[in-house]
Amino acid sequence: MARLIRVAPVGVPQHIIQRGNNRQVCFVSEEDMAAYVGWLKKYSKENEVAIHAWVFMTNHVHLLCTPRSSGGISKMMQSLGRSYVRYFNFTYKRSGTLWEGRYKASLVQTEQYLLELYRYIELNPVRAKMVLEPEDYTWSSYQCNALGKQSELLTAHEVYLALGGNEEIRRSRYRDLFRAHVDSRLLEEIRHCVHRGLAIGHERFIEQIEALTGQRVSANKRGRPKGVKQ
């Protein structure tokens, strides 16, 4: 399948994955993750990108974010990638590339899929059997969205805010969403869409995005190929 032209309409959330080259480690220590977070804060603000959810694993990163300016996500990821690679290469006395090509991105329909992407991202360490519960993993947004930990990185999406009239109710209802894991078919759909650069949403959403941008964001044929990995 030919690589689709990336589209990033202002105001439409995106699921972002950035991986280490050949799945190599890109975070060796917590200091590395803290450095990455610092640049993510800097460049998300500079480029007007709202970050709603995240998880930093040893060899990849997931982000759920919304651009507030044209080209904001692309500029943020380019600056973030360059700064972190310089830091990583200097720290570990290495040279060359760190990231696996360009980052992967999938447009997300807000109403039907956004909270599912929150769950998908923040349950990543549980699926990887690194922790038993999402609150046990420090380097994700779950402790912020579910437990009230403060972070300058976080911007709550309107869908999250609509969970309740105050913070306590929102957090309680958000925690309730995590009583079950993401359905296996939905897992496959999320993975397929982000790895192929497709939009995830119902047909009307996809039609609207394609009409707005003039670019294809859906597969040519129905059906999901097997073997797409997390």
Side-chain angles (χ1 to χ4, degrees), residues 24-26 32 39 81-99:
Q24 71 182 46
V25 168
C26 50
D32 296 343
W39 280 306
R82 284 194 298 265
S83 294
Y84 185 73
V85 169
R86 284 196 297 267
Y87 157 84
F88 192 86
N89 285 352
F90 176 80
T91 301
Y92 296 103
K93 307 297 187 294
R94 67 183 299 277
S95 62
T97 186
L98 175 65
W99 304 117

Side-chain angles (χ1 to χ4, degrees), residues 1-21:
M1 177 179 174
R3 188 167 70 178
L4 299 180
I5 297 173
R6 180 174 287 155
V7 296
V10 172
V12 178
Q14 291 193 38
H15 173 208
I16 303 292
I17 297 180
Q18 188 171 39
R19 291 189 181 278
N21 191 39

